[in-house]
Amino acid sequence: MSMPGMPGRGLAGMQGDTGGMSPQEQMMVKTIQGVMESCPGKTVMAGCMGFVLGGAFGLFMSSMSYDTPLTAAGQQLTNLPVREQLRRGFKDMGSRSFSSAKNFGIVGAIFSGTECCIEGFRAKNDMTNGIAAGCITGGVLGAKAGPQAAAVGCAGFAAFSTAIEYYLRMPSD
């Protein structure tokens, strides 16, 4: 039986600290870790993951909204052939999914990039980073609608970030 830091067979047949990797594999792992720990890498990753999650969320939400025959738009839709109804429905689902994906991606990228920059500037990893990043993200997203919307966005995102940070930093039992 080997102990941590001791040479010999480790978990799952891994040898020593290298885990049985060749020098080329070790260099690739270091490069990937370096990208994942950099602010641009985190920003791109959060934006892409937000895009995927937003697309799935938008697809789900668009499938839940439907026109009933009780509305004027619903009556027009029910008078169309089934193939045309499906075409319009899928087109609507696609446009809503893309819109939601784009919005989630933007929010994820702004928040993650801002939080990483604040953490690097402060050289601390605490709740203040997430709260400040939430405020900046909300302010940036609300800035187009004016200063009052930016302030409300800042307060809203900061409050949400506070709740999430508090929950994630709670001691586990």
Side-chain angles (χ1 to χ4, degrees), residues 27-170:
M27 192 168 63
M28 284 177 53
V29 168
K30 285 182 182 180
T31 303
I32 291 171
Q33 285 176 342
V35 169
M36 298 291 280
E37 292 174 2
S38 69
C39 286
K42 286 180 181 180
T43 302
V44 169
M45 188 173 64
C48 291
M49 292 176 77
F51 187 85
V52 170
L53 179 66
F57 182 74
L59 184 65
F60 174 74
M61 294 304 289
S62 67
S63 70
M64 292 297 168
S65 70
Y66 55 89
D67 290 323
T68 64
L70 302 175
T71 64
Q75 287 176 351
Q76 289 176 350
L77 191 62
T78 55
N79 293 335
L80 295 172
V82 174
R83 188 175 183 138
E84 181 64 19
Q85 289 179 21
L86 288 172
R87 188 186 71 75
R88 287 187 183 188
F90 284 134
K91 186 176 181 181
D92 182 53
M93 287 173 71
S95 65
R96 288 188 189 192
S97 291
F98 183 72
S99 175
S100 183
K102 192 171 52 169
N103 290 334
F104 273 60
I106 290 169
V107 169
I110 292 173
F111 180 83
S112 179
T114 305
E115 183 181 35
C116 186
C117 289
I118 291 171
E119 184 177 329
F121 180 72
R122 294 184 65 230
K124 288 183 182 178
N125 184 0
D126 58 6
M127 286 180 59
T128 305
N129 298 337
I131 296 167
C135 178
I136 292 169
T137 302
V140 166
L141 294 175
K144 288 182 183 178
Q148 185 177 5
V152 170
C154 171
F157 267 81
F160 184 71
S161 296
T162 302
I164 296 297
E165 288 285 334
Y166 180 76
Y167 176 75
L168 290 176
R169 293 180 186 269
M170 282 184 0

